[in-house]
Amino acid sequence: MFPPKLYPVPVLQTIFSRIAWFAALILLQALVCSHIHLGGYAIPLPYVYLLCILPMAAPRWVFILTGFVTGLAADIMVNTPGMAAASMTACGLLAPMVCPLFAPTDAEMDEFRPSAVTMKWSGFLSYAAVLTLAHCILFFAIEAFTLSLWPEMALTCLASAALTMLFITAFEMLRKPHIKG
């Protein structure tokens, strides 16, 4: 028999870190964020942050599967049948195409890990904003299932994306507390 494959400590730390972020974001959504409705429009959906921090070396199927599983867990915990799973799966398709647009030009995508350190704050927040806005548009379009109320839906999408971006900024400051400016 072959000996079991032992993974180096940094790989295991990364895996456990992603699992911890997954659990924390889903619990935050279920216990806190799903009860926030600022002005009747803004609802934070912070679990999209999990897609924002996936390394670009990950295969595309990892982005899609992570998006689907995260969305499915959010759907189960918050009782939104399939809305988060569908929108997060679409964002999983979108993330590998959007990140290179905001990454530094000298970055090698095989080793690139999106963060405020590697992309600077403006690049990372732009990347996260595109994914967040796409997620909010898809999520609320599925919820409304009509475009006849588009002004209200647009306000909900923009307000929710802005509130979600506040959460993402706070998460990034927690994850990389040594970043300045």
Side-chain angles (χ1 to χ4, degrees), residues 131-156:
L131 285 184
T132 300
L133 189 59
H135 173 64
C136 288
I137 289 170
L138 292 168
F139 184 87
F140 292 113
I142 293 169
E143 180 186 48
F145 207 65
T146 182
L147 293 178
S148 62
L149 302 172
W150 70 267
E152 184 177 316
M153 189 177 94
L155 180 60
T156 301

Side-chain angles (χ1 to χ4, degrees), residues 52-71:
C52 295
I53 60 174
L54 281 179
M56 287 296 109
R60 185 173 289 250
W61 66 266
V62 170
F63 281 91
I64 296 168
L65 186 63
T66 300
F68 176 73
V69 170
T70 304

